[in-house]
Amino acid sequence: MKIAMFCPNWVGDLVMATPALRAVRNRYPRAEIIGIMRPYLSDVLDGTGLIDRELFYDPRGANPAQRGWSLSRQLRYEDIDLALLFTNSFRTAMIAWAGRIDRRVGFARDARRWLLTDALKPKSRRTPHPVIDEYWRLAAYVGAKSTGGTAQRRQMELATSSDDELRFQRILARIGSPEETRGLVCLNSGGAFGAAKHWPTSSFAELGRLIADKFHKQVLVLCGPAEQAQAREIVRLAGHPHVVSLAGESPSLRLTKAAIRQADLLVTTDSGPRHFAAPFNVPVVTIFGPTHIAWSETFYPKAVHLQLHVDCGPCQKRVCPLGHHRCMQELGVDRVFSAVTRQLHETARRSVA
């Protein structure tokens, strides 16, 4: 049997889909599971064993073999028995249909019902609801079951390799001062959603300096290719020897996973790496701006959500339509540092207990 998983298009969403992927893997242990995903997601599932191999879909990419019709032709050659569409787009449903996949399961959104053999009724987009539970609903529809109740249905998973762990340790020894500090706190300031998700660079810098001063932690600013300049600016503004960044390294999701896995705490915007904390049992403080918390809620007990309540939000806009970006600009460093303090104290209490 061959199963095609049309994976979500965003890093965080793919992590939130891992409980459903695991459930399908357990339900069909002898099936070959093929993950169909955007190329930049390739490193997310490394080492988990959730999929056997990948096929890349990149509709605007330079490689013609990764575009829609080429992918459909390849799927016809693969002779897929079942497709599970975690994506909601008309285009991916068309690819599955044109790929002559026998059974195509997904939510009946965006006029694509006729392209699916099994069209599940979606929940209304007007009412925010956890995406992690909707992913599970797809898995349950094809027979996946949970023996551990609701908690297992929301247990995300990731993996790191020993090579990536060693690489990170060597980088931190070179750019940081781990022997002079008491643990590691990671800051993640990026967000592919848009500028509206960004907490001010100066605020991250002040927060990093406070953590380094008050807790004697090594503070590491994470970054992808698009956030390297911002990471350097955070370090410059912090002006503290124990606040450093990965901006000088070749960025990769594998390195980001290794860093978060070894951290005492992650402080992050509502972006993909936020979801790396839960699989590695790392406490996390998430700063929300224009996005509604309920969409990406994972019910992780070591998570603290911070959001400034404003009359114009959460608006779900990529760029603030009013121009002043109050939801992020007015969320003070003192409030975030207070949450950081509570999380670190709770971690210390657990370690003693």
Side-chain angles (χ1 to χ4, degrees), residues 23-24 26-28 82 103 136-146:
V24 174
N26 291 343
R27 171 64 181 82
Y28 300 100
L82 168 66
R103 189 180 180 196
W136 178 267
R137 191 149 68 97
L138 283 174
Y141 183 83
V142 297
K145 296 180 181 179
S146 169

Side-chain angles (χ1 to χ4, degrees), residues 63-240:
N63 187 349
Q66 296 176 0
R67 296 177 191 159
W69 292 115
S70 295
L71 180 56
S72 291
R73 286 194 297 271
Q74 188 166 356
L75 291 175
R76 289 198 292 270
Y77 174 78
E78 293 280 356
D79 194 21
I80 306 292
D81 299 288
L82 168 66
L84 210 58
L85 283 84
F86 292 97
T87 53
N88 286 315
S89 69
F90 181 90
R91 184 180 297 174
T92 50
M94 176 64 79
I95 291 170
W97 175 82
R100 298 175 187 167
I101 296 174
D102 293 340
R103 189 180 180 196
R104 304 176 298 279
V105 180
F107 289 111
R109 291 196 184 278
D110 298 336
R112 67 182 196 162
R113 180 187 294 270
W114 65 278
L115 296 168
L116 304 172
T117 60
D118 300 70
L120 280 66
K121 183 179 180 180
K123 291 185 177 181
S124 172
R125 284 173 170 160
R126 296 178 182 177
T127 303
H129 52 271
V131 173
I132 194 171
D133 290 344
E134 289 296 272
Y135 291 152
W136 178 267
R137 191 149 68 97
L138 283 174
Y141 183 83
V142 297
K145 296 180 181 179
S146 169
T147 57
T150 303
Q152 183 180 343
R153 295 200 301 267
R154 293 168 175 165
Q155 181 58 57
M156 298 173 286
E157 60 180 286
L158 291 173
T160 57
S161 71
S162 56
D163 287 345
D164 291 332
E165 296 278 356
L166 181 58
R167 180 190 171 205
F168 173 70
Q169 291 170 5
R170 288 172 174 169
I171 289 173
L172 191 61
R174 174 164 48 81
I175 67 174
S177 304
E179 70 284 350
E180 300 173 9
T181 52
R182 304 171 188 167
L184 174 69
V185 172
C186 289
L187 305 182
N188 174 53
S189 63
F193 177 80
K197 272 191 177 182
H198 293 173
W199 198 44
T201 299
S202 58
S203 298
F204 266 113
E206 184 179 349
L207 178 68
R209 185 169 59 250
L210 282 170
I211 294 170
D213 275 340
K214 302 296 184 181
F215 291 99
H216 306 288
K217 298 285 187 182
Q218 179 74 71
V219 178
L220 179 67
V221 184
L222 308 174
C223 59
E227 296 102 34
Q228 288 174 307
Q230 184 183 19
R232 290 190 179 95
E233 183 65 4
I234 290 171
V235 171
R236 187 188 71 81
L237 291 174
H240 194 290

Side-chain angles (χ1 to χ4, degrees), residues 46-61:
D46 271 1
T48 61
L50 294 174
I51 61 175
D52 296 301
R53 56 190 173 94
E54 304 162 335
L55 291 178
F56 294 129
Y57 171 52
D58 192 4
R60 297 180 180 85

Side-chain angles (χ1 to χ4, degrees), residues 281-334:
N281 199 34
V282 173
V284 57
V285 174
T286 303
I287 302 167
F288 287 86
T291 51
H292 202 296
I293 292 173
W295 287 115
S296 58
E297 179 62 86
T298 61
F299 307 95
Y300 175 46
K302 293 184 181 180
V304 172
H305 303 328
L306 300 178
Q307 188 167 46
L308 188 67
H309 296 289
V310 292
D311 54 10
C312 54
C315 67
Q316 295 293 138
K317 303 291 186 182
R318 292 176 181 270
V319 178
C320 177
L322 303 178
H324 48 56
H325 202 196
R326 283 181 56 207
C327 59
M328 286 300 233
Q329 294 288 341
E330 296 181 13
L331 182 61
V333 175
D334 55 345

Side-chain angles (χ1 to χ4, degrees), residues 258-272:
I260 292 174
R261 184 167 195 165
Q262 297 184 35
D264 300 318
L265 175 68
L266 171 66
V267 184
T268 177
T269 55
D270 178 27
S271 58

Side-chain angles (χ1 to χ4, degrees), residues 32-47:
E32 181 182 18
I33 297 180
I34 303 169
I36 299 174
M37 66 185 69
R38 301 297 175 96
Y40 54 78
L41 296 173
S42 177
D43 293 339
V44 175
L45 300 181
D46 271 1

